């Protein structure tokens, strides 16, 4: 790959099977994944948006990515397809999945010689638009840089938006019209944020005739759409795997997980649609990845796996719960050449798993470990979080104890097989996220997190064949700042950009401001920066779930039934 990780045009011609569209008379869109090509092209949502844009009449969409390593010479970022600079396009559409890419958005605008702040851009500049799940959760830290956000799922949003967009129209008038008439459109410049004296948000008020709240738009029926890999290329994180999205949302309601709430109601693609996707994938690759937050809950998963194996394909899964690892599913993993299986207890003690509403027991975990090793899958990866609400020293000790006992089961089964694999323990700091029951809770202090990581490493360091990988708490702190911040955080992003991404330097001089967003316990009735977004979930429901968590009470899964009024989403969906 070249320095900017752009594949040769001849490779793209083979992948796309088409000649690039003529620009004349078309709306020109640069779809930007604010990360490396190898990362962006592994993102199924990004590929889906690329396909949807190019399927629309009168639209030509090309892709751009963050150069890697970053180009220090100030070279312009250009699109993969035609090599045109970003300033030549009508729309710059950023697809943002993670808050860590907020800074990359700023850097890309600067590299494109486009004014960073929306207020400084005129009609001659492209319209800067952003979407993706990070923007649905809380777009406010990048609101000053973006002309317009799309809040919701692309299949339901893009046709209506593009039908209403008029290239060449005066920008201010166009933005007002789009915000007024297209569901899911949020134009930050049309909303005034006021603050209390203590820095908390007092109000978010529209300055003209636009909706007071932005209602998330979503695809109600996944049977009407497919989401599969558009382009296969080996220079990506998933190699040449053909990816198939099987579901959106998750019924289990883990209290730390935004995806379990902002994608409600949980939806699964019908088996017939997925079988068709698998057949298509088998014609393009022998490796098929089933993607979704709740793959193991998919009705008919076993039959889909059998059909893939019959087509001589290997399968991988984005997520499987320990309590759903059936013998049939494990055999499919074995047949697909899986060497490492992942289990996410998330917490070491049963008490903590009740608090986070994980819904799996130690027995589930041990049964899964035994079954995996018995079937000949030699390695395990275990995911845990530290710094969770109400966590005690005994709960941190329980991570070490649970891993030790998992190792015991692992060793017993491995002896029968005559070989010993490796257990990798991944430890991550808990970050309270918007639209979850834990959005009221503060993040644990960095010093505490570092001590807990040290404690776990010391406890597991004495156990053979167990490796520990821990994230850097400082980066979790930055993630919390960007996921929980308001528009004022944009000044910190600008400072980070101007210092070449030197976050330690930025945070050194802004500790009081950043602590306000990261370490503060929110009041029950406090207005959050993201409260203007309506995902259909009752805020009162989330707070009740928070209180149930603090009381160590579990809650049932989402029933996924018509007429349910538990969280409010289905009531809104029926309007």
């Amino acid at each position: 790959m070249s320095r900017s990780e752009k594949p040769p045009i001849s490779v793209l011609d083979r992948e796309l099977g088409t000649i690039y569209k003529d620009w004349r008379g078309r709306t020109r869109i640069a779809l930007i994944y604010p990360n490396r090509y190898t990362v962006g092209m592994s993102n199924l949502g990004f590929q889906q948006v690329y396909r949807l844009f190019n399927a629309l009449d009168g639209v030509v969409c090309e892709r751009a990515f963050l150069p890697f390593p970053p180009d220090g010479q100030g070279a312009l970022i250009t699109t993969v397809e035609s090599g045109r600079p970003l300033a030549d396009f009508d729309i710059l559409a950023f697809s943002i999945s993670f808050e860590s890419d907020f800074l990359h958005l700023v850097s890309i605008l600067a590299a494109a010689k486009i004014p960073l702040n929306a207020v400084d851009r005129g009609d001659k500049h492209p319209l800067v638009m952003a979407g993706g799940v990070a923007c649905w959760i809380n777009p406010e830290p990048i609101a000053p840089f973006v002309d317009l956000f799309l809040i919701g799922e692309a299949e339901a949003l893009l046709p209506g938006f593009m039908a209403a967009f008029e290239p060449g129209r005066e920008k201010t008038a166009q933005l007002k019209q789009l915000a007024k008439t297209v569901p899911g459109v949020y134009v930050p410049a049309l909303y005034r944020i006021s603050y209390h004296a203590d820095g908390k948000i007092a109000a978010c008020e529209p300055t003209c005739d636009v909706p007071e709240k932005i209602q998330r738009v979503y695809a109600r029926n996944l049977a009407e759409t497919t989401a599969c890999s558009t382009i296969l290329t080996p220079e990506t994180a998933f190699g040449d795997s053909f990816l198939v999205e099987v579901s959106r949302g998750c019924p289990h309601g883990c209290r730390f997980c935004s995806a379990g709430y902002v994608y409600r109601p949980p939806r699964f693609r019908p088996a017939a649609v997925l079988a068709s996707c698998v057949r298509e994938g088998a014609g393009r690759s022998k490796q098929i990845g089933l993607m979704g937050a709740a793959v193991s809950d998919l009705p008919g998963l076993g039959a889909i796996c059998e059909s893939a194996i019959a087509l001589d394909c290997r399968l991988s899964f984005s997520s499987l719960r320990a309590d759903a690892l059936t013998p049939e599913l494990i055999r499919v993993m074995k047949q697909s050449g899986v060497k490492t299986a992942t289990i996410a207890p998330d917490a070491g003690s049963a008490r903590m798993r009740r608090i986070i509403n994980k819904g799996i027991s130690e027995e589930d975990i041990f049964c899964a470990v035994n079954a995996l090793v018995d079937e000949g899958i030699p390695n395990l990866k275990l995911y845990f979080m530290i710094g969770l609400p109400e966590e005690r020293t005994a709960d941190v000790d329980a991570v070490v104890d649970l891993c030790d006992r998992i190792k015991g089961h692992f060793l017993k089964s491995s002896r029968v097989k005559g070989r010993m694999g490796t257990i990798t323990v991944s430890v991550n700091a808990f970050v309270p996220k918007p639209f979850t029951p834990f959005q009221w809770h503060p993040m644990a202090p960095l010093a505490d997190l570092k001590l807990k990581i040290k404690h776990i490493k010391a406890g597991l360091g004495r156990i053979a064949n167990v490796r520990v990988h821990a994230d850097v708490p400082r980066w979790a702190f930055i993630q919390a700042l960007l996921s929980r911040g308001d528009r004022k955080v944009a000044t910190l992003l600008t400072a980070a950009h101007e210092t070449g991404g030197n976050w330690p330097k930025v945070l050194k001089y802004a500790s009081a401001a950043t602590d306000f967003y990261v370490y503060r316990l929110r009041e029950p009735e406090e207005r959050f920066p993201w409260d203007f977004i309506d995902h259909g979930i009752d805020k009162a429901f989330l707070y009740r779930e928070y209180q149930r968590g603090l009381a160590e009470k579990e809650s049932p899964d989402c029933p996924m039934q018509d007429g349910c009024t538990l969280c409010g989403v289905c009531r809104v969906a029926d309007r």
Side-chain angles (χ1 to χ4, degrees), residues 132-175:
V133 68
C135 299
W136 313 353
I137 295 174
N138 180 18
E140 288 302 274
I142 54 172
F145 311 120
V146 176
D147 295 310
L148 175 151
F149 289 93
L150 293 182
I151 307 297
E153 297 174 356
E155 299 92 338
L157 267 168
L158 294 186
F161 172 80
M162 292 310 304
F165 179 76
E166 301 177 38
R169 185 180 180 186
E170 191 270 327
K171 184 175 290 186
T172 300
Q174 170 126 262
L175 288 172

Side-chain angles (χ1 to χ4, degrees), residues 401-413:
D401 179 64
L402 180 60
C403 290
D404 194 10
R405 287 186 288 150
I406 289 174
K407 170 64 182 297
H409 286 263
F410 186 74
L411 182 60
K412 183 178 179 181
S413 296

Side-chain angles (χ1 to χ4, degrees), residues 8 10 242 271 301 379 405 518:
S10 60
F242 184 87
L301 177 60
N379 305 307
R405 287 186 288 150
V518 177

Side-chain angles (χ1 to χ4, degrees), residues 523-543:
E523 298 169 358
E525 302 302 323
E526 181 172 336
R527 185 182 185 96
F528 298 136
W530 50 89
D531 275 351
F532 69 91
I533 299 174
D534 182 7
H535 285 281
I537 304 171
D538 292 335
K539 193 173 180 180
F541 163 78
L542 293 175
Y543 191 74

Side-chain angles (χ1 to χ4, degrees), residues 305-325:
C305 292
E306 289 176 5
S307 66
I309 296 297
L311 292 168
D312 195 29
C313 290
R314 300 179 301 276
L315 282 172
S316 60
F317 308 90
S318 64
S319 61
L320 294 171
R321 283 172 60 92
D323 56 353
L325 285 174

Side-chain angles (χ1 to χ4, degrees), residues 90-92 109 114-122 125-130 142-150 171 175-176 178-179 185-190:
D90 298 308
I91 296 174
L92 304 185
L109 289 177
I114 293 171
L116 298 185
N117 292 299
V119 70
D120 297 325
R121 296 195 289 265
H125 296 110
L127 181 125
V128 177
M129 181 170 82
I142 54 172
F145 311 120
V146 176
D147 295 310
L148 175 151
F149 289 93
L150 293 182
K171 184 175 290 186
L175 288 172
K176 287 182 179 179
L178 291 168
V185 168
Y186 168 52
V187 178
L190 302 181

